[in-house]
Amino acid sequence: MKELVIDLEAEKTEILKRYRALLRASKSTLQKGDKRMIRKAFDMALESHKDMRRKSGEPYIYHPIAVAQIAAEEIGLGTTSIVCALLHDVVEDTDVTLDDIEQEFGKKVAKIIDGLTKISGVFDTNSSLQAENFRKMLLTLADDVRVILIKLADRLHNMRTMEFMPRDKQLKISSETIYLYAPLAHRLGLYAIKSEMEDLSMKYMERETYQFIKNKLNEKKTEREKFIRDFIEPVKKVLSAQGLEADLFGRPKSIHSIWNKMKKKSVPFEEVYDLFAIRVILDSTPENEKADCWKAYSIVTDLYRPNPDRLRDWISSPKANGYESLHTTVMGPRGQWVEVQIRTKRMNEIAEKGFAAHWKYKESSTDSGLDQWVQKVRDMLKNPDSNALEFLDDFKMNLFSDEIFIFTPKGALIQLPLNATALDFAFEIHTDVGASCIGAKVNHKLVPLSYKLQNGDQVEVITSSKQVPKEDWLSFVVTAKAKAKIKSALKEEKRKIAEDGKEILERKLKSLKITYNSENIHKISYFFKLPSTQDLFFNVAKGLIDMKDLKEYQLSEKVVENKPQDKIDNEQLQGLLRNIKAKDSDILLIGEDMQKIDYKLAACCNPIPGDDVFGFITVSDGIKIHRTNCPNATKLMANYGYRVVKARWTNQQELAFLTGLRITGIDDVGLINRLTTVISHDFKVNMRSITVDSDNGIFEGSIMVYVNDTEHLDNLIKRLKTVNGITSVARFDAIDKAS
Ligand code: MN
């Protein structure tokens, strides 16, 4: 057993030394009476923790002092928080009660300490208990965000002083930190604390890798520092020549972020090029901030060539957590890309201290993204329905909910909203890249345009000069930018096609001897139920309305001209009927006297024996048989009632009628085989065509089959539904107009 030799006098001196350092750190926020308050808290903490020691053997009081110091110095919190930080462990670990605290320090402090006490031991072995505790922890957020901020300071200090903990505790605390505290710090804008937490967790969880990268960074330290000096020097000169006061320095990226990059891009350490970022921190006045930042940007990019794709302007639109900065990547003097971050002192303070600094400067912007986020969390906490585990998931999601970060092949960061797809990314890079995008590689794997990106994905866009924006793209893109660009491209495309269509229609009408004028164009549009003349031109250009259709329009016009619609001209109808040649082997009876006359089955609804049907007299194409539930039936009967004739099936069998089935299911090997076996082998039904669409394991197929009648069809449908993997089978009502 190790014997501990303690020099109590030396310890006392050390404690006071640390306490005075704390006072110095909080100096900027101290107001009258604050110092006395802090002293009182310190005395109470010192007294109640007096016989306690940390695992390292040090006096326990070092810990609350350190937490208070982090709160003051690194988060920028004020007196109330410093008092609470000093007292954060007393209620839990000593005889001091909440009432005592309230009596000495007031309601506010007591409430924060209460919050801090409730959330100690948040993580326990039982995962649902852990979730419930975590929920409790976040409930404190509803009262006072300072509780979370002090908790983060507490956690950071524990992480910094973990060497003496047993290994299993180290692992447990590290994983909690990486799972929850680091994302929470990030969301609250505490970048420095977040990075340190990540690095410290990695130090315990991935010891070897951590040490490896750390050594590598040390090896190159001198070289790197020289590079940074050479890079900064000319920038500094021009900045001051132009009257801009600025601090410039190179900051190494965190070990954890370098490691992440190595993993994501699967590259060795040597190929991670951005091991550091250059920061330009400007001393500016509030009204000149933006202009000064851009001035500095202009100076930097005069000296070094920028990569235009990597300009990030978080000054015009700050991140949800309040972060403001101008980022650019430039080609350094030795042919190496260097990231430069330009911001003012105020912006830098927000970048490093996040929430607290944000409060300090808030006056002007009351509706920042961060406030909205806190409000959202509060609302979520009020929802009593969600059980603890679900809640935790929701919350974790919420930590990053409004943004994901995607890497370009060169490692530049692109910020996108949650659920953004590969196509959104392409449009984010450039409109032309989006418009000609045919696919993408995400983490070197080929994915479709609609692929939903995950935070940290690296995306390479594949383009083709033959590609044009498609209508269905609108169904999956989420960014406003992509949507707007696709819409305008489609509109432009349609406009061009319609222009061609106009000429074609003019020629066609001429040959039909129909005058091309606005009245007729409108009439024709109306006849084809099109919302605008542009749609008419478009349909003509696409061949969806051809000469035959136009003739039909012409004839309908003549019929309408000759015969008013409300009067059925029996004579004409009979004349038409007489002209239709009788068929020898007939199965359909048509007309009042149910004659057997020639007919055609309408392609829009493919009637089969057993269906309720009616006949429709087309002047050029004889009688067409439609199902009464045909999508066109209402239109036909409403507009041309006088051309409708009764029709019904006889009992004729053994004839085959074409009908379509739409089948959906879970795609797997052999599904099509099983389907076709049932259709052609079991049912001896002939198929005319099969089209299959498979997307992400979902199978969608259209099969055209020949059946005898509805009963035959119903049986086939019933049987197909029993095929393994099939989720639905339905006859489809109409063939798409386009097909
Ligand atoms: Mn503590």
Side-chain angles (χ1 to χ4, degrees):
M1 207 176 169
K2 211 166 100 186
E3 198 183 333
L4 202 59
V5 184
I6 296 163
D7 181 345
L8 286 174
E9 273 312 305
E11 263 181 6
K12 228 174 175 177
T13 316
E14 179 63 22
I15 291 169
L16 283 172
K17 201 178 126 203
R18 292 185 187 209
Y19 170 68
R20 278 193 295 271
L22 167 65
L23 282 183
R24 278 198 301 279
S26 46
K27 214 170 158 187
S28 65
T29 61
L30 288 188
Q31 285 175 349
K32 208 166 167 276
D34 284 354
K35 211 168 162 181
R36 220 184 54 231
M37 189 85 137
I38 294 172
R39 178 77 208 198
K40 202 160 85 174
F42 169 69
D43 287 341
M44 184 188 249
L46 186 63
E47 173 61 24
S48 39
H49 290 302
K50 71 169 181 268
D51 298 322
M52 296 164 66
R53 290 189 175 270
R54 306 199 82 207
K55 278 265 176 336
S56 57
E58 290 174 336
Y60 194 86
I61 190 69
Y62 285 5
H63 170 64
I65 295 175
V67 173
Q69 177 119 13
I70 292 170
E73 205 167 40
E74 295 174 53
I75 309 183
L77 294 170
T79 304
T80 308
S81 305
I82 293 167
V83 166
C84 294
L86 283 169
L87 297 170
H88 81 271
D89 278 331
V90 295
V91 173
E92 170 135 54
D93 298 341
T94 75
D95 298 334
V96 179
T97 67
L98 266 182
D99 286 341
D100 299 338
I101 301 257
E102 190 176 331
Q103 223 157 29
E104 292 294 320
F105 299 94
K107 261 205 165 68
K108 188 84 242 170
V109 170
K111 200 152 186 213
I112 294 173
I113 304 274
D114 186 30
L116 286 164
T117 308
K118 272 190 192 133
I119 60 178
S120 62
V122 150
F123 285 93
D124 249 307
T125 45
N126 180 322
S127 84
S128 68
L129 188 66
Q130 170 178 316
E132 186 50 50
N133 280 329
F134 182 63
R135 183 167 185 272
K136 273 189 209 148
M137 161 168 168
L138 291 165
L139 273 166
T140 61
L141 221 164
D143 300 330
D144 202 317
V145 186
R146 284 176 289 191
V147 175
I148 300 287
L149 295 171
I150 296 166
K151 192 68 202 168
L152 287 170
D154 183 24
R155 172 54 54 129
L156 181 60
H157 185 245
N158 284 335
M159 289 292 295
R160 281 178 183 169
T161 53
M162 223 164 42
E163 313 92 289
F164 299 100
M165 289 273 185
R167 177 85 183 133
D168 63 321
K169 273 262 176 72
Q170 287 176 345
L171 288 175
K172 181 172 169 283
I173 292 172
S174 295
S175 52
E176 289 166 12
T177 302
I178 203 75
Y179 176 72
L180 197 70
Y181 288 94
L184 202 49
H186 175 250
R187 197 60 187 76
L188 292 167
L190 298 157
Y191 281 102
I193 289 181
K194 172 227 171 201
S195 297
E196 192 180 345
M197 280 181 165
E198 284 174 345
D199 273 8
L200 286 167
S201 300
M202 189 182 161
K203 181 176 160 188
Y204 291 101
M205 294 168 79
E206 313 257 352
R207 284 191 284 200
E208 277 170 30
T209 321
Y210 177 86
Q211 211 47 55
F212 169 80
I213 296 174
K214 198 177 170 183
N215 292 343
K216 282 276 186 189
L217 281 174
N218 281 341
E219 272 171 34
K220 302 248 170 162
K221 202 174 172 199
T222 327
E223 191 187 318
R224 196 168 57 240
E225 279 170 352
K226 172 153 188 350
F227 179 89
I228 290 170
R229 275 199 308 276
D230 292 350
F231 184 95
I232 284 175
E233 210 46 54
V235 181
K236 224 174 184 168
K237 262 190 199 147
V238 185
L239 280 173
S240 74
Q242 303 227 2
L244 286 172
E245 277 215 39
D247 271 340
L248 278 89
F249 50 90
R251 227 189 126 94
K253 297 230 164 141
S254 76
I255 293 177
H256 184 262
S257 73
I258 291 169
W259 180 58
N260 257 349
K261 202 157 271 189
M262 288 166 63
K263 275 195 304 186
K264 267 167 203 155
K265 299 166 79 177
S266 13
V267 294
F269 175 84
E270 282 71 21
E271 282 176 38
V272 179
Y273 65 87
D274 47 353
L275 297 173
F276 59 89
I278 301 283
R279 281 199 191 149
V280 179
I281 310 295
L282 294 159
D283 205 348
S284 183
T285 51
E287 60 278 11
N288 290 327
E289 281 196 307
K290 198 172 171 181
D292 284 351
C293 287
W294 284 105
K295 216 160 148 191
Y297 170 81
S298 164
I299 289 166
V300 170
T301 53
D302 277 349
L303 290 164
Y304 304 108
R305 173 180 282 281
N307 182 337
D309 291 342
R310 297 213 200 137
L311 172 63
R312 288 290 160 266
D313 175 7
W314 279 304
I315 292 179
S316 306
S317 42
K319 286 193 190 182
N321 61 14
Y323 183 81
E324 290 171 75
S325 195
L326 211 53
H327 290 193
T328 179
T329 302
V330 299
M331 185 55 83
R334 278 174 237 164
Q336 187 187 15
W337 289 111
V338 178
E339 186 183 288
V340 182
Q341 306 174 348
I342 301 164
R343 54 191 180 236
T344 63
K345 272 188 175 162
R346 179 192 66 85
M347 296 171 185
N348 193 49
E349 200 171 339
I350 288 176
E352 294 195 324
K353 294 181 182 170
F355 196 81
H358 179 82
W359 277 124
K360 203 166 124 192
Y361 294 106
K362 210 177 72 121
E363 302 122 24
S364 56
S365 61
T366 44
D367 245 353
S368 74
L370 191 59
D371 294 338
Q372 283 170 20
W373 178 76
V374 169
Q375 191 50 48
K376 225 161 50 188
V377 175
R378 282 179 184 160
D379 290 346
M380 209 159 65
L381 289 159
K382 278 183 206 145
N383 176 12
D385 307 332
S386 58
N387 79 44
L389 267 179
E390 260 173 43
F391 173 83
L392 187 60
D393 282 346
D394 284 354
F395 186 81
K396 281 277 291 178
M397 290 271 292
N398 210 270
L399 285 177
F400 296 110
S401 74
D402 40 18
E403 51 204 4
I404 53 172
F405 293 95
I406 306 300
F407 293 98
T408 67
K410 284 182 180 167
L413 209 53
I414 304 279
Q415 185 189 3
L416 287 168
L418 188 73
N419 290 330
T421 62
L423 189 58
D424 286 298
F425 175 84
F427 273 101
E428 196 62 33
I429 300 283
H430 195 278
T431 306
D432 294 342
V433 175
S436 56
C437 181
I438 53 169
K441 278 186 183 173
V442 170
N443 307 325
H444 307 296
K445 223 183 107 213
L446 204 59
V447 300
L449 295 174
S450 58
Y451 178 85
K452 271 190 191 168
L453 298 173
Q454 304 291 312
N455 210 5
D457 277 346
Q458 189 180 31
V459 184
E460 182 187 338
V461 176
I462 304 164
T463 60
S464 158
S465 58
K466 296 208 171 61
Q467 178 71 299
V468 289
K470 300 282 189 316
E471 185 91 37
D472 76 299
W473 287 6
L474 289 170
S475 65
F476 57 79
V477 293
V478 300
T479 54
K481 185 177 177 183
K483 271 189 185 152
K485 297 291 181 193
I486 294 168
K487 274 184 191 159
S488 79
L490 288 172
K491 232 169 144 184
E492 180 55 25
E493 178 78 7
K494 196 173 173 183
R495 199 188 57 76
K496 275 191 201 148
I497 293 171
E499 227 161 72
D500 295 342
K502 193 172 168 184
E503 277 172 34
I504 298 168
L505 183 65
E506 235 177 306
R507 279 201 305 274
K508 287 193 165 156
L509 293 186
K510 203 173 172 186
S511 75
L512 288 170
K513 302 206 165 43
I514 299 174
T515 320
Y516 182 91
N517 60 21
S518 129
E519 193 199 340
N520 281 337
I521 298 304
H522 277 102
K523 267 190 188 166
I524 299 170
S525 304
Y526 181 76
F527 177 79
F528 292 110
K529 305 275 174 218
L530 293 167
S532 74
T533 51
Q534 198 201 42
D535 286 284
L536 174 67
F537 300 148
F538 180 81
N539 277 303
V540 170
K542 284 274 174 185
L544 300 173
I545 293 175
D546 58 13
M547 209 57 181
K548 207 179 101 203
D549 298 311
L550 289 171
K551 275 182 188 157
E552 204 165 311
Y553 157 76
Q554 196 174 30
L555 285 165
S556 84
E557 278 292 296
K558 279 180 185 152
V559 173
V560 174
E561 276 162 29
N562 297 339
K563 302 293 157 198
Q565 240 172 284
D566 50 357
K567 251 185 168 177
I568 299 169
D569 189 325
N570 205 35
E571 208 179 309
Q572 196 195 13
L573 180 64
Q574 290 308 317
L576 276 168
L577 289 176
R578 269 196 302 276
N579 288 338
I580 295 163
K581 214 174 70 192
K583 216 177 170 184
D584 26 15
S585 76
D586 227 321
I587 53 155
L588 196 66
L589 301 174
I590 295 174
E592 284 302 321
D593 45 0
M594 291 291 155
Q595 304 168 61
K596 293 184 179 183
I597 41 176
D598 200 9
Y599 60 87
K600 279 183 182 158
L601 299 172
C604 51
C605 57
N606 288 304
I608 62 173
D611 283 332
D612 279 336
V613 289
F614 67 93
F616 185 77
I617 303 165
T618 67
V619 187
S620 55
D621 214 13
I623 290 181
K624 281 213 172 144
I625 304 301
H626 293 264
R627 285 156 64 190
T628 47
N629 59 2
C630 165
N632 293 321
T634 327
K635 192 172 80 188
L636 294 174
M637 289 195 262
N639 290 332
Y640 310 103
Y642 60 98
R643 290 160 66 182
V644 170
V645 290
K646 280 187 193 169
R648 72 173 168 81
W649 303 98
T650 64
N651 288 327
Q652 187 82 30
Q653 291 279 332
E654 305 303 318
L655 266 169
F657 292 84
L658 188 64
T659 191
L661 293 173
R662 189 152 288 154
I663 298 175
T664 60
I666 310 297
D667 195 9
D668 71 23
V669 187
L671 181 69
I672 294 182
N673 197 21
R674 290 201 295 278
L675 276 178
T676 52
T677 304
V678 170
I679 296 169
S680 32
H681 189 262
D682 301 0
F683 268 73
K684 307 261 184 290
V685 161
N686 286 321
M687 284 181 291
R688 194 180 76 173
S689 66
I690 225 181
T691 52
V692 168
D693 225 27
S694 184
D695 180 36
N696 292 326
I698 301 303
F699 163 96
E700 230 185 271
S702 303
I703 305 180
M704 300 301 293
V705 292
Y706 289 98
V707 293
N708 299 332
D709 55 20
T710 45
E711 199 187 326
H712 189 201
L713 178 65
D714 288 343
N715 287 334
L716 176 63
I717 290 176
K718 256 183 225 158
R719 176 67 184 84
L720 286 175
K721 279 183 176 164
T722 66
V723 171
N724 215 1
I726 295 298
T727 52
S728 80
V729 182
R731 176 179 179 185
F732 52 82
D733 295 324
I735 293 174
D736 293 339
K737 214 183 165 193
S739 65

